[in-house]
Amino acid sequence: MEKGRILLAVTGFHPQRWRDLLSAEREVVLEPDGAKDPSITYAVVWKQKPNLLSSLPNLRAIFSIGAGVDHVFADPGLPDVPIVRVVADNLTQYMTEYVVWRVLDHHRQGVLYRAQQTKKVWHDPPQRPAGDISVGIMGLGTLGRAAASVLLSLGFTVNGWSRTDRPMKGVTTYSGEAGLIPFLKATDILVVLLPLTPDTQGMINYGVLKELRKRNGLGGSVLINAGRGRLQKDADILRALDDGTLKEASLDVFEVEPLPKTSPLWNHPKVFVTPHSAATSDPVHLAPPMLRQMDAFERGEKLENLVDRKAGY
């Protein structure tokens, strides 16, 4: 199998660093030579232009440079070739750090202490042990399992929910529609790491949030979303915060990004906002595994971390 060219089609990322790293082993182009360029064998993409890949006759596989792949499926002309999810140790590490950071901040009452500091208040509120707090992770894939493992090591009670049963030692797991409400009712801090699919879009809504356990060691339930913005309904989160359904929220993703300056989430006293930065794709760590996969595929080996087209992730 001959080496062909890589089409690097990214929106919202500066392509030069990706191009430099991928070019170490293969020829990389930013545009195909016409709609039916026969020289393109792989595409490395993030929010590629619609129909850009549809007629490339020798395209063998598509590699996403982000953890999510909903942007790939948004292309109406997506060809029927394998799609590879990015899986890298540093990406998993970044997400684990973010989740643990936000869980600990809510657990150790960071919102309260920051408010006290502005008012120069010296008050030490009661602190509950981690074992009294139940963290529920929606999405027990690579990222969810890594975060769960660290939270368990810190002494938290950890629950997990996924579309299908995903057992994990030390974690009480729930699955499917039948398991959702029991999972929520056993959860104090909800961590959302789900993929975005037609079934999960808008899933984090008021009806879901009101099922979270409110009488707990935190004095209320907490939401952390580091998955995808369109999983949630921003207006429902605001409603839940304002009426006490939610005590606090940490949000890294939003329905519209960048978050509009007019959004009340920016200034809400119970919300911690980060700019979709929980786990940033770093080409230094992600390009080499892509190149290794291409080489292995051309030796007749199977691609790893393939997307299930039917499931959408």
Side-chain angles (χ1 to χ4, degrees), residues 2-80:
E2 293 184 4
K3 287 187 177 182
R5 300 198 298 175
I6 297 174
L7 173 63
L8 179 62
V10 296
T11 302
F13 286 86
H14 196 284
Q16 191 57 49
R17 188 59 176 146
W18 286 93
R19 188 175 191 177
D20 290 344
L21 291 163
L22 293 168
S23 296
E25 295 186 20
R26 294 171 181 263
E27 184 180 355
V28 179
V29 296
L30 300 181
E31 294 286 345
D33 295 336
K36 297 184 178 182
D37 186 346
S39 70
I40 304 296
T41 53
Y42 300 103
V44 175
V45 305
W46 178 259
K47 298 183 179 179
Q48 73 277 9
K49 297 177 184 176
N51 300 306
L52 180 66
L53 312 177
S54 60
S55 58
L56 299 174
N58 295 319
L59 186 66
R60 299 170 187 159
I62 299 167
F63 290 79
S64 170
I65 69 172
V69 293
D70 48 285
H71 67 98
V72 179
F73 285 109
D75 186 345
L78 189 65
D80 187 16

Side-chain angles (χ1 to χ4, degrees), residues 3-312:
K3 287 187 177 182
R5 300 198 298 175
I6 297 174
L7 173 63
L8 179 62
V10 296
T11 302
F13 286 86
H14 196 284
Q16 191 57 49
R17 188 59 176 146
W18 286 93
R19 188 175 191 177
D20 290 344
L21 291 163
L22 293 168
S23 296
E25 295 186 20
R26 294 171 181 263
E27 184 180 355
V28 179
V29 296
L30 300 181
E31 294 286 345
D33 295 336
K36 297 184 178 182
D37 186 346
S39 70
I40 304 296
T41 53
Y42 300 103
V44 175
V45 305
W46 178 259
K47 298 183 179 179
Q48 73 277 9
K49 297 177 184 176
N51 300 306
L52 180 66
L53 312 177
S54 60
S55 58
L56 299 174
N58 295 319
L59 186 66
R60 299 170 187 159
I62 299 167
F63 290 79
S64 170
I65 69 172
V69 293
D70 48 285
H71 67 98
V72 179
F73 285 109
D75 186 345
L78 189 65
D80 187 16
V81 299
I83 302 168
V84 180
R85 292 183 297 108
V86 62
V87 175
D89 290 345
N90 83 304
L91 196 66
T92 303
Q93 176 72 17
Y94 288 159
M95 184 60 80
T96 299
E97 290 173 356
Y98 179 89
V99 170
V100 173
W101 169 41
R102 299 318 309 146
V103 168
L104 287 173
D105 187 67
H106 290 294
H107 168 52
R108 295 302 301 265
Q109 305 187 65
V111 169
L112 174 62
Y113 283 122
R114 286 187 288 273
Q116 287 187 175
Q117 182 176 347
T118 62
K119 299 175 182 178
K120 302 179 182 178
V121 172
W122 188 272
H123 171 63
D124 183 18
Q127 178 64 48
R128 301 295 292 270
D132 288 354
I133 308 302
S134 174
V135 181
I137 300 177
M138 295 186 80
L140 283 178
T142 301
L143 302 179
R145 296 172 90 82
S149 179
V150 176
L151 290 168
L152 284 171
S153 74
L154 292 172
F156 288 97
T157 299
V158 181
N159 303 323
W161 181 88
S162 50
R163 185 178 62 89
T164 57
D165 191 28
R166 299 290 302 273
M168 181 176 176
K169 185 178 180 180
V171 176
T172 302
T173 56
Y174 305 79
S175 62
E177 185 175 351
L180 181 58
I181 299 302
F183 162 78
L184 294 168
K185 288 187 177 300
T187 293
D188 305 321
I189 300 177
L190 178 64
V191 177
V192 183
L193 295 175
L194 290 168
L196 179 62
T197 70
D199 290 336
T200 61
Q201 183 167 336
M203 186 175 184
I204 309 305
N205 54 39
Y206 189 81
V208 161
L209 297 174
K210 71 181 181 63
E211 298 293 345
L212 291 169
R213 188 163 63 187
K214 298 170 186 63
R215 298 182 66 181
N216 56 40
L218 293 173
S221 53
V222 172
L223 170 66
I224 299 170
N225 187 3
R228 312 297 289 173
R230 287 188 291 150
L231 292 168
Q232 70 189 32
K233 294 289 186 182
D234 292 1
D236 285 16
I237 293 172
L238 284 162
R239 175 187 173 190
L241 289 163
D242 290 341
D243 70 9
T245 297
L246 278 179
K247 179 190 177 190
E248 297 162 4
S250 285
L251 303 175
D252 185 56
V253 292
F254 305 88
E255 284 186 87
V256 177
E257 295 182 2
L259 183 64
K261 295 183 185 297
T262 55
S263 172
L265 290 169
W266 280 113
N267 299 317
H268 200 290
K270 299 178 182 178
V271 179
F272 187 88
V273 171
T274 48
H276 203 145
S277 57
T280 302
S281 297
D282 184 347
V284 172
H285 295 276
L286 302 185
M290 292 179 182
L291 292 169
R292 285 196 294 270
Q293 283 239 59
M294 295 173 194
D295 290 341
F297 188 51
E298 290 166 2
R299 293 194 301 267
E301 300 174 26
K302 292 184 178 180
L303 292 167
E304 299 175 351
N305 306 313
L306 286 175
V307 172
D308 181 334
R309 281 178 173 262
K310 186 176 181 180

